Structure formats: structure tokens, C-alpha cells
Amino acid sequence: MRTGCGRGAEAVNMTGAEILVRMLAEQNVTHVFGIPGGAVIPLYDALYDAPFVHLLMRHEQAAVHAADGYARVSGRPGVCICTSGPGFTNSVTGLATAFADSVPLVLVCGQVATSLIGADAFQEADVFGGSLAVVKHSFMIRDLSEIAETVRSAFGIAVAGRPGPVLVEFPVNLQRESGSFVQDAGPSVGLHEPAAPRYGQDFAGCLRLLEAAERPVILAGGGVVLSNAADALLSCAEKLQAPVATTLMGKGSFPESCALALGMAGMHGTPQANLALSEADVILAIGARFSDRTTGAVAAFGRRAKIIHIDIDAAEMGKVVAPHAALVADAGRALRELTDGLGKANRPSWEARVRELREHPFNSRCEGESFRPREIIERIRNAFGDAVPVVADVGQNQMWTALHWKAERPRTFLTSGGLGTMGYALPAAIGASFANALSPVACIAGDGGFLMNAQELETCVRYAVPVRIFVLNNGCLGMVRQWQELFWNGRCSQTVTGTPCDFVRLAEAFGIPGFSCSSLRALDAALSDVVFRHGPVLVECRIAQKENVFPMVPAGRALEDFLSGAPGA
Amino acid sequence: MSGSERRISVVAEDTPEAFLRLTGLLARRGFRFREMSLGRTMRPGLARYTLVLPGDAGTAEQAIRQLRKVVDVLHVEDVTGDAFRERWVALIRCDLPVKDTALLHCLLDRTSLRVIGEGAGTMLLEASGDRETVDACVEAMSAFGVRDVLTGGPFIMGLSSGEGESN
């Protein structure tokens, strides 16, 4: 047991749990999301007196998503707590979601007593092994003297470089054990300083390609949001007079009302984004990782273009696309330095072409339907304005929101992009609301994904969280149904359920006001009520089952080969 | 040295967790290494892994960049080429008595093979050297009723000091 030699700091007798809570407070934690359990009872006893708020969720997956939503909106690490065994295994999907989208998180996970580890004890799970592939790093606390440094390191690692989730495994006996503790200044973040990369330092090459570009396009990814670099991106795009497409994670990094905005690129990208990337002679990809959903067929991606890749993660360089110039750097710093180095551009013919592309019409329409996803999303967006964050779930609802919700500001468009976790939206919206001092958040989900974490309605009620839930109910698992329809001869295996429940009564069972809409007029009426409510509210939008998301680039095709509607329709 | 494989040296924390993180990362990302050795150096608490990875320098570079992201890892470098020397070891158990003693003595004289012990009706030999030498020794011993073979390696060190040294 290290007693330390804290200059001025006084040694006090504390339990491990109390030390951990003290260290969380040192990290300026304001909210933690979690669920108690047998292996964290001492920790919850210490939380009873914590100077920050603990929010009880109804499922560990939801607790991690809530911390994730909190982190994405606030830019600070989300913190969550779960117990050992099933508490941990339930959290794994949340960790994997945060890992895939580079979200800074710290999960404190209970573990059975050290004397029982490896004995197949009650609620014992291999936390280290089970989380190996879905965390940036993990720690096991083995001694009281390690707690302070472990917590500091966990927060340091979660936010350093490319952010990600970090797990701290805390055996229950060490939570109970007490010892002398000195909270010294302790600079000791146990990180090995990474050596300066010997590659990906081609700033001059980036500048040269951009100066020579005739048809430049910027592809902005989630790294621009993570690096708080939206202003730097706007300045760079304006100086370069380059249109900006975003990835799904990049939405919000560039104001979509700007004349240079192309919207989202990729499988369900806008025609202007996908066509501009296909016609570009230089693509500046920043904070993006060339996901298969963004590039379409990789061999055809940017085939007329020289590619500049800027990312903080050196391992992304050349992982998917071999760049012509690579820069391993923070997005904000790189954009500011590029902007300073660039001359004011003037490319009238490309600017005219971009204007022309931006007028390309597209809609995901069903003939004869008047209550269509595009209009629904636009009405909701108009009712809330550009400051209210929206959390989109996964599937058709997500792509409709990505296409039609005009994101103007960073950290206002949240979704599970990399992992594609259905059930993400509601719990993440709860965390997002807490990050903004319990201000309203829009949550858009399908009937399928909503039911994957619907228990969190209770959490919304208990804390009066102003989450405005919109369930786009098409009575099917729509995105898979769409693929089955388009590519599997219409054999809709296990995807068409019909309306799964009465969503209004479901909401009401939790004490939440519910509305059901089948027309834009009814939606407008509901919205005029919803925006003034204090707590949670649920609006079911009953849309046609046959609605599909278009445009769509079929898997394995080039970005410009998008379908604008169902073949033959 | 084969052009279709690269040698990578990784200096990391000497813990089972670090070992799992390294091998898990490589397996997850499809870097299917052919050989791996784990050795200890002058610096306590650190281990040096040496991997043989199929593929070209570009593939190795991708693996190196991924490995550098592991928090337990201090240093990674490509140690393929003339500036490095490598050693492999083989243990071979074969039947006694040896029929062709003349051939065995010839091998013991001319190769790195040496007898390191005898058991009931068997003897144990050791060979060391570069991979070709060790493979050739194992191959030559096949004439003697080999019961078991264990090969391991590589251990690799640079001829000159580099930044991945154990200091």
C-alpha cells in the first residue's frame, strides 16, 4: 500500500470505492450512468455521497449508450458503471458501439473478489477477455495503491489521439478494503509516449495537390467533429472553394445550408455528394476512415482523383485507400495550417458544376403516399431548429434522418455509425439531454430498433428527460426488408411483422404522453404540442411499409452508380 | 531470406494481458503470423516479441501501425534485412542405437547439431542457426528415426544499435 508523500496533502483512511469516487470527481465527472449489482455494492455505497450525479438506467447496454450520447454531445468522456458477469456482458454492445465511432468513455465494471477470480464464481465473467476487441484499453485494479493512477490513465487514454472506450475492472474486495490514501498531484498517466511517426508527414504534398486541384472535394468524417474543427473546416472549404461531403459520422462538421455543402456521401449518400466525389480530381479526406459504406466499391472510389488523407490515427493511412499525400495530424490543426498555406482559389467551371449538382433532385418516395419519411424528418427538424441534437437509431430511419435532417452544427447529429447498433437512439438521447442540462433532444427510431431498448422509457419518466421520441412505424425491419426486396427476389424472410404494438398505449403505460400520426397535418399538430412539453413524449408516425431509402448504391458498386428508385418502379 | 515475409520486432509490457492484446489484435485484423518468439531483454518488465508475418513491406507496415496503437507497446519496427541477424533453435529426439554412426559423426562435426542428452533408447539433439541451417539439420536427422521435433524462433538483433534496443 503506497501511502505517498503528498506535499501538503494529508493521508486519510478510505475504502477503495471511496478512492475511486474521489478520483472520478477529480476528473470533473458530472454524470455517471449505471446499474448496481452484487459486485458493485460497495461502490454504490460510496456513490451515495458522491459530488456528482448517478443516473440509474434499466439495462447496462443502455447505460453505456447514455454515457456515449453524453460524450458525443459534451465532447467530454462519458462515464458508466456496471456490475460483474451479466452486467459486463450486457455492456459489451455499448462498448463496441463507442469503439467503432471513437467515442471517449470510461466504464467501471465490478468483478468478483480477487480470491474467486478464475473459480467460476457467481456472476463472474472474463471481463478482460470479453472486452479485448471492443475497448481502446482496459485496466484491472489489483491494489488500492493503483486506483488513483488507473483512473487518471483511463481518462487520459480515453481522450488521447483517436478517442475510445476504456474499461476499469474493479474487484469487489478491493472496493471494500480500506487503506491510507493521499490525493497527490500525481501526474502519472501510464502512457508510453508514442514515437513521432516517420510517415504521414507530407504537409507540403497535401498543399501542392490542393493548389493544383481543378475539381477538389473535401470529405469530412467524424474526426472533424471529435477535434472540434468545424470552424476550421468551414474556413478551409471557403478559401479552397471546395464543396464538402461528409461521412455519416461527419454530419454536423459542416453546415448543410452552406452553398458548399453536398450532404452525406456513401451507400445512401446524396447524388451531389456521390457524383462530386466521382468527378473530383483531388479528394481531401479528413478525419475519415474510408468505411465501405462511404466508399462504395473501393477500386472505383475517387478513381479520377488524387487522394489526400489526414487523420490522427496513423493506422488509417493506407488501410483501405492508398493516399497520394498523407498527414497524420489532428484535424483542426491540419485544417488551420492548410488554410494558412493556401491561396484564394477561383475555379468558375467547377463551382458551376457543383451548383448544378446541388440541384439534383432526390426523394425517397412512394407514389401515392402523402406521409413520407422525407417530409416527416423535415417537419421535425423545422419544429426543433438547428440547436437541438437529434439521435438517429439504425436502419431506414437513420438514413432518412441522415439525408433529410439538415445538421448545421457539430455534436447535434448522433447515430451508431460504425457498428450500426439498433436500440442506440433512446438511451443515447437520454445521455445527450443530460449533457445539455436536460434540454430537449430529438430521438428518431424505427419500430424495430425502438423496441430493442424501449425499457428506457421508464428512465425518461423518472428523470423527466425531455426526449422527443419519434417512432417511424412501418411494421417491418425496413432496411433488411428493402435489401430482400431489391436483391433477394422479394423473399421478405422474418422482416415483416405488422405494427408490433400500440405505441401510444406503450408510452402511456410508462406515464408518457403519446401521439399517433398518419398525416403531415396530424404530425404538425403533434409537433406544436410536443415542443412545449417538459418531460418525454412519444410520437408514432405510421408510414407505408413499402417505403425504401433512395438513393442507394448497391453493395460492391461505384458511388456514381446509385439507384434513384426501385428498378422498374 | 524470403521476400514474401517480414520480421517485426515488438517491445511491450511483459504481461499476459499485453500478450493477449498483441495476438488478439493481429488475429482480429487478419495478420496471420507464421512464427512468434518471446524473449526478455536488459530492461526488466519488458518483453520483446519477434513475429514472422507473411506479406510484403506494405502489409508489415499496416501491422506495425496497428501494433503501435496498443497501449502496452513501447516500440515496433520492421527487422527484416541485412542489418539484422536471426537465430532459430531445434530440439530433436531420435532413436538409439544409431545405425549409421559414421553419418551421425559427420553431421555432428560439420553442422551445429550436438547431442544434449540421452534417455531410454533415445537421444536428444540440438541445432541452432539461421532458419535454413536449422531446417537442414532437422531434415538430415530424418534418417535416424526421429521421434519428436520442436523448432522455435526467431530471435533477431540488429548489427548496430537502433531505437528499439532494450535500453
Side-chain angles (χ1 to χ4, degrees), chain A residues 138 192 198-199 313 317, chain B residues 13 17 21 65 68-69:
Chain A
S138 54
H192 303 301
R198 282 162 289 187
Y199 45 84
D313 182 355
M317 301 291 142
Chain B
E13 301 274 356
E17 289 81 9
R21 288 191 183 106
R65 291 179 199 174
R68 287 193 175 129
K69 289 167 63 174

Side-chain angles (χ1 to χ4, degrees), chain B residues 32-44:
Chain B
R32 307 192 66 84
F33 54 88
R34 286 187 184 136
E35 309 281 351
M36 185 178 73
S37 72
L38 163 55
R40 294 199 170 71
T41 67
M42 289 167 69
R43 203 163 147 189

Side-chain angles (χ1 to χ4, degrees), chain A residues 344-525:
Chain A
K344 179 81 180 164
N346 184 27
R347 304 182 190 86
S349 63
W350 181 232
E351 286 161 29
R353 175 61 181 150
V354 170
R355 274 195 301 279
E356 187 184 353
L357 286 174
R358 278 172 53 86
E359 280 153 24
H360 198 295
F362 71 98
N363 201 349
S364 48
R365 75 169 56 229
C366 272
E367 289 307 321
E369 293 293 334
S370 61
F371 195 46
R372 298 178 303 193
R374 177 182 187 146
E375 283 75 20
I376 293 170
I377 302 293
E378 287 172 349
R379 295 290 170 107
I380 300 170
R381 165 68 174 76
N382 290 339
F384 288 111
D386 63 15
V388 170
V390 62
V391 188
D393 207 73
V394 167
Q396 288 185 313
N397 64 88
Q398 176 187 36
M399 292 297 111
W400 286 321
T401 309
L403 280 168
H404 304 305
W405 184 287
K406 295 284 174 247
E408 294 294 302
R409 308 177 188 203
R411 304 190 182 277
T412 60
F413 180 88
L414 281 61
T415 195
S416 168
L419 197 69
T421 307
M422 287 172 70
Y424 170 79
L426 178 57
I430 293 171
S433 179
F434 277 107
N436 278 346
L438 272 182
S439 57
V441 174
C443 164
I444 296 180
D447 51 307
F450 177 74
L451 287 179
M452 290 192 182
N453 264 320
Q455 77 284 346
E456 298 308 323
L457 288 173
E458 194 278 334
T459 308
C460 293
V461 173
R462 194 159 17 87
Y463 297 115
V465 188
V467 176
R468 285 71 172 90
I469 304 160
F470 297 87
V471 179
L472 305 188
N473 178 10
N474 57 3
C476 62
L477 301 167
M479 187 58 94
V480 175
R481 201 258 311 123
Q482 173 170 346
W483 282 57
Q484 289 169 333
E485 201 178 294
L486 294 174
F487 313 118
W488 295 87
N489 299 317
R491 289 156 57 91
C492 294
S493 179
Q494 299 295 315
T495 48
V496 178
T497 56
T499 287
C501 65
D502 182 331
F503 283 97
V504 172
R505 288 176 64 194
L506 177 70
E508 286 170 354
F510 286 94
I512 294 176
F515 301 84
S516 184
C517 307
S518 300
S519 68
L520 287 175
R521 181 189 293 187
L523 176 63
D524 287 340

Side-chain angles (χ1 to χ4, degrees), chain A residues 20 23 106 138-143 145-157 166-169 188 190:
Chain A
L20 188 117
M23 294 312 297
V106 174
S138 54
F139 293 94
M140 154 89 89
I141 294 172
R142 295 172 196 278
D143 191 281
S145 64
E146 297 172 2
I147 297 173
E149 183 178 348
T150 299
V151 173
R152 286 174 181 148
S153 299
F155 278 81
I157 290 168
V166 177
L167 187 148
V168 176
E169 195 177 341
S188 49

Side-chain angles (χ1 to χ4, degrees), chain A residues 25-40:
Chain A
E26 185 197 83
Q27 296 295 323
N28 299 315
V29 168
T30 56
H31 297 79
V32 302
F33 302 86
I35 305 186
V40 283

Side-chain angles (χ1 to χ4, degrees), chain B residues 121-162:
Chain B
T122 57
M123 69 172 172
L124 206 53
L125 297 97
E126 170 200 296
S128 69
D130 60 24
R131 183 195 261 176
E132 290 72 20
T133 301
V134 170
D135 287 350
C137 289
V138 172
E139 175 64 25
M141 285 305 294
S142 64
F144 295 90
V146 171
R147 294 288 162 193
D148 199 6
V149 173
L150 179 64
T151 63
F155 284 111
I156 299 184
M157 199 172 269
L159 295 170
S160 317
S161 56

